[in-house]
Amino acid sequence: MPDRGGGPTGPRMRVGRPSRRARTLLMTLGVLAVLGMVFAMFAGFWTDWLWYRSVHYSSVFTTTLWTKIGLFFVFGLLMAAAVGLNIWLAHRLRPPLSAMSVEQQSLDRYRMSIAPYKKWLLSGITALVGLIAGASAASEWRTWLMWVNGVAFGKTDPQFHLDVSFYAFDLPWYRFLLGFGFAATVLSLIAAVLTHYLYGGLRVTSPGARATAAATGHLSVLLGVFVTLKAVAYWLDRYGLAVKSSDFKATGNWTGLRYVDANAYLPAKTILFCIAVICAVLFFATLWRRTWQLPVIGFGLMVLSAILIGGLYPAIVQKFQVEPNEQAKEAAYVQKNLEATREAYDIDDTKVTDYAGTSDTQDKAKLRDAAADAASYRLMDPNIVSPTFEQLQQVRNYYGFPSNLAVDRYKTKDGKVQDTVIGLRELNLAGIPKNNWINDHFRYTHGYGVVAAKGTEADEGRPVFTEYNLPSTGDLPRYEQRIYYGEKTSTYSIVGGPQKEIDYSDDTGEKTTSYKGNSGVSLANPLNRAAYAMAFNEPQILYSGAIGDGSRILYNRTPKQRVEAVAPWLTIDGVSYPAVVDGRVQWIVDAYTTTNGYPYSSRTTLGDTTLDSLTAANNQRVVAQQNQVNYIRNSVKATVDAYTGEVKLYQWDTQDPVLKTWMKAFPGTVEPKKDISPELLSHIRYPQDLFKVQRELLTRYHVTDAQTFLSGSEVWQIPNDPTNRSGDAVPPYYLSLKMPGESSQTFSLTTTMTPNGRDNLSAFMTVAADANTSDYGKISILKLPTGKTIDGPKRVQSQFNSEPSIAESIRLLKGGDSEVEYGNLLTVPLDGGLLYVEPVYLRGGGLKYPLLRKVLVTYGGNTAFEDTLDKALNKVFGTEGSATEPPGSGSGSDTGGGGTGSGEKNPPPSNNPTVQEALKDAQKAFEDGQTALKNGDWQAYGQAQKDLQDALKRAEDAQAQAEKPGAGGKNGDGKGGASPGASASPTPNSSPGGSPSGG
């Protein structure tokens, strides 16, 4: 090359092989990289095994693992053998001499280039297809276990009279085998064709025959196998018609045979099966007759038959026989679908009762008394009051409550059962003073205590706490308060070692503890530490001095995660809820067994069906293993101990064949129903997600007559939630109520339904949700007359908003920076009519949490918007009841205050004189503001709000000063400063600004 730089040119450097040292370094790095990848895979396997062993479900891990390994090797080897054998056979059958042509000369170069590597190439191809096939087969472990352990349903389909287990357990496995056979045959055929072409058995442009006799025979056999499998597919398709989904304009989503399926597709599949068998025989016959003439004719006949018999003929039947008289033709098949769907979703015993929708009773006093006893009106909406719980009972910033609290039942001191709103004070890492590895994983490890309030009462707008403060005290018996496992616990913690944990804080400072449970995995073993350091991508686990003897790592800590891990064959409910049971906090998790193979039962998508205005906001929808299901049972009730993380699965539905199948596959994992303790049974409730699935089906399947079903005149819909603008369905509500004809209230799950495309009410649906009652799971529907217009939820809400006096009151409440929040719109049957009750909350005036301020009530066209439920009922019925306060009548600003030593009121207020004086000023400012609102004096109202905020600021500053270590002053309990929960609810309770922050 020419000299371009002007400098001297030296001799050209030789590029030689790397030095020995460089080669050794590269080899060492390569070995280390391989060892690193191997250890990373081993770490994942080892930590999984350790976790399953720690929760005592190692049999689930081993059964699943060995099933996957077995399927991987069996089907991987079968696929590798099939493809490898056909490549070897095609090579063995190659012609000894190749025709002289340009095509063959080009192929000679390829043959010569791969000749030294033929064995390696064959091994590589077979290994690749074997790995892919094995991995695909391993993912079918559920299908295999269900097939090999299948239990009979004891019910047969109406068309083929086979047990339902054939469709649920057997048919999916047969379809997998058929798909595997097609894949193996097609891959073998492709490999054989390429090999024959490469070695001259097949020719495209060379003179002479296009294929040798050996190649013709080989490929004919493979094509014969393919057509044989197609014949098997036609035969299985006959049974598949019973579980086939299709669109049916009269009903929408449809599963099972219709008239055209039974009278056109079914005979067509049988005819095509026979044609495919004949065609396969013709292909096999080419072993003796070295010609493809007859097989090709037969294959063409099969394709033509598939078009004419399998496609055109059913279309003609549908067009000219079914559509002119659809109801008569389809009625028998619709009836089968009705019966199967109602059975598969456990709604076949639903009781539908006609309900007038209006009351004829003229005695208003009698109606008023009946209203007091009709329900325990839940004024504390668990989906709204979580911020109130947090502000009043959070105590420390590193605690938090879920956005949706739970509704449960607890006995009061007088032995009565009380509807209760309950939440756990769980750990919130976002609120700790300083985030670092030690704080996040060693110091702040758990939440502390239960907070509960009466669902039916309020005290100055606040919840009436029955369990409160830190440590929690109140009506509940003594229990282990530390919460190591919860819905908000999403990270791992290392406990039990030399590093102490923060337990809780009180007047004397922080209390520390060390975990004493046997949960988690020990990190005393260096191998375990290395594995978890790799699995969690955290090298400090390997060498940190905070880990020592007794250290254990806790992870997979949410209840749903733990249940799903130990029972991967279950579909987990979107919501778990806590309960105090036998001195422990237990998370109760509902779990379902499902299948999409129930013949004639219409399918539903659980993720869509369980969507409502609450789950959409909190991502709590149910997602099943299959995209769609057409059979579901709440067959398992699971518990997770909040302290030890222990998981227990209880058999709830003792008749469910799907659960029995899984219990055979995983023996010893599910405990019998009789092992459920009476106290646990008292907290078990009917699951919301199952209820939402059932109510969606009952919008169409509440009718039992095929003609009515086909007409579509009785189709209902789930109304949108009128209390927000999300456009999602109204959620069902737990409520203790008395249905018509019943003598006492029952803890129930309720919802409303409206006609399709309209806003008036068509039905009220409820299910007995108390597991202690014999009626548990019994669904009842009150069907409203179609000839009357009964207001539905949207109309009721519109009526509330459009009432001039109510609209003006709400406008005044929204004055300044206040915000009105509507609670659950409760519907209660009452003497032939429907009573609607809706709590109204106010958040504003510097307040960070909602307070119950008003109650909306409507009945028979009369509407009231009052401070308390009692007053609202009195106004609606025009008379006072015989009892001064019905259940759940407490509300806004006129109920008494007081302490909570008995669990009946809020926690005791602070006795700091400065705080007391400031709160008196706040009370006066609030009262002045209310007077100004009534008079429409906005200038006075603004001044009152300013005075209120100033007074609250003085109270907050004084309380903070009193809580400092060494601060003077004595509380009523004789202790210096404020008690842990004292600031959570100081007097006066009627102030809209409430107390200073409870934290």
Side-chain angles (χ1 to χ4, degrees):
M1 294 182 67
D3 182 6
R4 298 179 183 271
T9 59
R12 179 179 296 177
M13 295 181 62
R14 296 181 57 187
V15 180
R17 297 175 61 190
S19 65
R20 177 172 296 181
R21 178 178 297 177
R23 292 199 304 272
T24 302
L25 177 61
L26 290 173
M27 290 180 63
T28 302
L29 292 175
V31 170
L32 290 176
V34 171
L35 290 176
M37 288 187 291
V38 170
F39 184 76
M41 291 187 290
F42 168 78
F45 165 81
W46 184 243
T47 54
D48 284 347
W49 161 248
L50 291 174
W51 187 87
Y52 276 96
R53 190 175 64 175
S54 74
V55 294
H56 311 295
Y57 282 88
S58 54
S59 62
V60 175
F61 179 80
T62 54
T63 299
T64 304
L65 178 65
W66 287 116
T67 303
K68 290 179 178 179
I69 290 175
L71 292 172
F72 176 86
F73 279 104
V74 168
F75 287 95
L77 289 174
L78 283 175
M79 181 65 77
V83 175
L85 176 64
N86 280 282
I87 292 175
W88 174 83
L89 188 59
H91 180 265
R92 182 73 179 270
L93 297 176
R94 68 189 185 280
L97 297 174
S98 301
M100 295 303 297
S101 67
V102 175
E103 179 186 23
Q104 293 303 315
Q105 289 175 2
S106 300
L107 291 173
D108 280 340
R109 291 195 295 270
Y110 291 107
R111 287 193 286 266
M112 292 175 62
S113 62
I114 67 173
Y117 311 106
K118 283 192 293 186
K119 291 183 178 179
W120 289 104
L121 188 60
L122 177 63
S123 300
I125 292 174
T126 55
L128 178 62
V129 297
L131 286 172
I132 295 174
S136 176
S139 65
E140 297 292 330
W141 64 272
R142 291 183 181 86
T143 308
W144 161 260
L145 288 176
M146 292 182 78
W147 177 69
V148 78
N149 295 288
V151 172
F153 276 68
K155 296 181 181 294
T156 59
D157 76 284
Q159 180 68 39
F160 302 102
H161 308 293
L162 297 173
D163 191 89
V164 173
S165 60
F166 171 80
Y167 302 94
F169 306 142
D170 299 344
L171 190 58
W173 179 249
Y174 298 153
R175 288 195 180 279
F176 164 72
L177 292 178
L178 185 64
F180 178 84
F182 273 122
T185 303
V186 170
L187 289 176
S188 297
L189 186 61
I190 293 172
V193 167
L194 292 176
T195 305
H196 279 300
Y197 178 70
L198 182 63
Y199 286 96
L202 293 176
R203 309 180 186 96
V204 178
T205 60
S206 299
R210 293 288 182 259
T212 63
T216 300
H218 184 196
L219 297 181
S220 295
V221 169
L222 289 176
L223 289 171
V225 171
F226 179 87
V227 177
T228 301
L229 292 174
K230 188 62 180 173
V232 175
Y234 282 133
W235 189 256
L236 289 181
D237 284 347
R238 298 170 69 254
Y239 303 110
L241 292 172
V243 291
K244 183 193 72 171
S245 289
S246 60
D247 289 329
F248 187 14
K249 66 181 181 179
T251 61
N253 180 30
W254 174 270
T255 301
L257 285 85
R258 291 158 49 193
Y259 181 89
V260 69
D261 297 310
N263 295 279
Y265 280 110
L266 187 56
K269 297 292 183 183
T270 305
I271 295 171
L272 289 172
F273 164 77
C274 297
I275 294 174
V277 170
I278 295 172
C279 186
V281 171
L282 293 177
F283 273 109
F284 290 133
T286 56
L287 287 172
W288 297 275
R289 292 172 50 86
R290 302 295 186 173
T291 175
W292 281 2
Q293 184 176 5
L294 286 178
V296 169
I297 293 174
F299 188 77
L301 176 63
M302 186 179 73
V303 173
L304 183 62
S305 300
I307 296 172
L308 296 179
I309 301 176
L312 185 59
Y313 174 63
I316 293 174
V317 171
Q318 176 68 24
K319 181 69 176 176
F320 295 101
Q321 290 190 34
V322 177
E323 290 184 5
N325 192 17
E326 188 172 53
Q327 288 206 2
K329 295 290 187 183
E330 301 287 14
Y333 302 95
V334 169
Q335 193 65 45
K336 296 174 184 178
N337 176 269
L338 277 170
E339 294 171 0
T341 302
R342 289 168 62 86
E343 164 64 28
Y345 291 95
D346 200 20
I347 56 177
D348 51 332
D349 292 330
T350 298
K351 181 182 178 182
V352 180
T353 306
D354 289 334
Y355 192 70
T358 55
S359 174
D360 295 328
T361 301
Q362 301 300 317
D363 188 344
K364 299 299 183 182
K366 182 180 178 181
L367 277 176
R368 175 64 179 83
D369 289 340
D373 191 45
S376 296
Y377 302 95
R378 185 165 44 74
L379 301 179
M380 287 291 104
D381 187 341
N383 309 306
I384 287 184
V385 299
S386 179
T388 308
F389 271 53
E390 193 162 289
Q391 286 294 317
L392 300 181
Q393 287 294 318
Q394 181 184 20
V395 183
R396 294 291 182 266
N397 286 336
Y398 48 81
Y399 295 130
F401 292 91
S403 56
N404 299 111
L405 302 176
V407 177
D408 205 344
R409 297 133 294 152
Y410 286 88
K411 286 187 177 181
T412 59
K413 290 184 177 180
D414 57 4
K416 295 182 179 179
V417 177
Q418 168 74 46
D419 285 4
T420 303
V421 177
I422 184 172
L424 301 187
R425 196 181 283 112
E426 294 189 52
L427 179 67
N428 176 24
L429 286 179
I432 68 175
K434 184 178 181 180
N435 288 100
N436 56 53
W437 190 63
I438 293 296
N439 277 347
D440 291 354
H441 300 289
F442 291 83
R443 296 273 291 162
Y444 295 91
T445 59
H446 59 279
Y448 208 98
V450 170
V451 177
K454 293 184 178 181
T456 57
E457 296 183 24
D459 183 7
E460 303 296 342
R462 297 187 182 88
V464 177
F465 292 108
T466 57
E467 190 75 10
Y468 49 86
N469 285 358
L470 183 67
S472 293
T473 59
D475 289 352
L476 296 180
R478 294 176 61 87
Y479 61 96
E480 172 57 64
Q481 297 199 20
R482 297 172 182 87
I483 311 298
Y484 281 88
Y485 295 87
E487 289 186 317
K488 298 175 73 70
T489 315
S490 57
T491 188
Y492 69 90
S493 290
I494 299 175
V495 298
Q499 178 66 60
K500 292 292 185 180
E501 311 162 45
I502 294 177
D503 204 20
Y504 65 91
S505 300
D506 63 10
D507 295 339
T508 61
E510 289 182 349
K511 305 292 185 181
T512 60
T513 188
S514 187
Y515 185 65
K516 303 299 182 184
N518 58 358
S519 180
V521 178
S522 172
L523 293 179
N525 187 331
L527 177 62
N528 290 358
R529 293 178 66 168
Y532 279 101
M534 176 67 73
F536 289 163
N537 194 27
E538 182 48 73
Q540 293 187 80
I541 295 177
L542 186 61
Y543 56 78
S544 174
I547 302 175
D549 292 338
S551 291
R552 309 179 72 84
I553 185 168
L554 313 180
Y555 62 104
N556 286 350
R557 297 169 70 183
T558 68
K560 287 183 285 186
Q561 274 182 323
R562 296 180 78 78
V563 175
E564 194 169 33
V566 303
W569 35 272
L570 290 173
T571 297
I572 310 302
D573 192 273
V575 177
S576 54
Y577 60 99
V580 178
V581 178
D582 299 320
R584 318 286 295 190
V585 176
Q586 299 281 357
W587 289 97
I588 300 176
V589 182
D590 287 286
Y592 309 107
T593 45
T594 62
T595 179
N596 66 349
Y598 199 100
Y600 274 98
S601 173
S602 291
R603 290 183 170 86
T604 187
T605 304
L606 293 186
D608 295 337
T609 308
T610 57
L611 174 69
D612 60 31
S613 60
L614 297 179
T615 56
N618 297 286
N619 194 26
Q620 294 174 331
R621 283 183 289 177
V622 173
V623 179
Q625 299 293 346
Q626 304 100 344
N627 289 327
Q628 290 188 320
V629 302
N630 67 352
Y631 172 94
I632 185 170
R633 289 291 187 274
N634 178 211
S635 54
V636 171
K637 300 287 187 179
T639 61
V640 178
D641 192 294
Y643 183 74
T644 65
E646 180 185 21
V647 182
K648 287 188 177 180
L649 308 175
Y650 295 100
Q651 182 184 14
W652 184 250
D653 189 332
T654 57
Q655 304 302 317
D656 178 30
V658 181
L659 178 60
K660 290 179 180 179
T661 295
W662 287 118
M663 289 174 68
K664 281 181 63 178
F666 296 96
T669 57
V670 181
E671 300 183 25
K673 186 175 183 178
K674 62 181 179 63
D675 288 353
I676 299 177
S677 69
E679 189 169 354
L680 174 59
L681 189 66
S682 68
H683 294 286
I684 287 177
R685 67 189 191 188
Y686 200 82
Q688 281 181 292
D689 284 328
L690 176 60
F691 185 70
K692 285 187 278 189
V693 171
Q694 291 172 324
R695 74 171 179 177
E696 178 65 32
L697 268 296
L698 282 169
T699 58
R700 290 176 293 143
Y701 287 91
H702 61 276
V703 301
T704 57
D705 175 64
Q707 295 293 341
T708 306
F709 187 85
L710 280 167
S711 70
S713 61
E714 291 290 330
V715 175
W716 300 337
Q717 67 181 14
I718 309 302
N720 293 337
D721 189 348
T723 63
N724 62 50
R725 299 179 180 179
S726 66
D728 295 310
V730 62
Y733 297 120
Y734 287 105
L735 184 67
S736 291
L737 59 81
K738 183 163 51 175
M739 289 288 284
E742 295 182 354
S743 59
S744 60
Q745 295 180 11
T746 302
F747 186 67
S748 305
L749 193 53
T750 66
T751 191
T752 53
M753 298 178 182
T754 59
N756 195 21
R758 296 164 61 194
D759 294 327
N760 56 292
L761 196 67
S762 58
F764 174 77
M765 174 180 168
T766 181
V767 64
D770 188 346
N772 272 316
T773 63
S774 59
D775 288 337
Y776 173 86
K778 178 183 176 182
I779 300 175
S780 299
I781 293 179
L782 300 181
K783 182 182 176 185
L784 281 300
T786 56
K788 284 184 181 178
T789 301
I790 310 297
D791 289 341
K794 186 175 180 180
R795 286 191 175 187
V796 170
Q797 190 68 44
S798 298
Q799 183 178 340
F800 285 156
N801 297 336
S802 60
E803 188 82 17
S805 60
I806 295 176
E808 178 64 17
S809 298
I810 291 176
R811 186 180 66 83
L812 292 175
L813 286 173
K814 289 181 177 179
D817 60 351
S818 298
E819 179 182 348
V820 170
E821 296 184 29
Y822 294 100
N824 35 222
L825 178 58
L826 304 176
T827 308
V828 177
L830 177 62
D831 193 55
L834 292 164
L835 177 69
Y836 288 94
V837 176
E838 183 178 67
V840 178
Y841 298 82
L842 186 65
R843 187 202 298 251
L847 199 64
K848 298 179 180 178
Y849 56 91
L851 291 177
L852 178 63
R853 283 306 178 204
K854 294 286 186 179
V855 180
L856 282 161
V857 174
T858 185
Y859 182 79
N862 298 321
T863 301
F865 184 60
E866 299 296 328
D867 293 339
T868 67
L869 176 61
D870 187 45
K871 291 181 179 180
L873 291 174
N874 290 343
K875 183 174 181 180
V876 163
F877 293 105
T879 181
E880 294 186 4
S882 58
T884 56
E885 284 286 320
S889 63
S891 179
S893 59
D894 61 348
T895 52
T900 57
S902 65
E904 296 299 317
K905 296 291 182 181
N906 279 316
S910 169
N911 287 327
N912 183 287
T914 307
V915 175
Q916 291 283 6
E917 183 65 28
L919 290 176
K920 287 181 181 178
D921 293 342
Q923 175 67 28
K924 184 178 183 304
F926 169 72
E927 292 172 352
D928 291 344
Q930 293 299 303
T931 301
L933 277 177
K934 292 179 181 179
N935 297 332
D937 188 346
W938 294 108
Q939 183 175 358
Y941 177 77
Q943 183 61 43
Q945 291 297 305
K946 183 178 183 300
D947 295 342
L948 174 62
Q949 293 182 15
D950 291 343
L952 290 176
K953 182 67 169 60
R954 283 190 284 116
E956 184 175 5
D957 293 343
Q959 185 73 12
Q961 183 66 30
E963 289 179 343
K964 289 183 179 179
K970 294 285 185 181
N971 282 338
D973 58 4
K975 295 180 181 179
S979 66
S983 64
S985 189
T987 305
N989 284 337
S990 60
S991 167
S995 70
S997 170

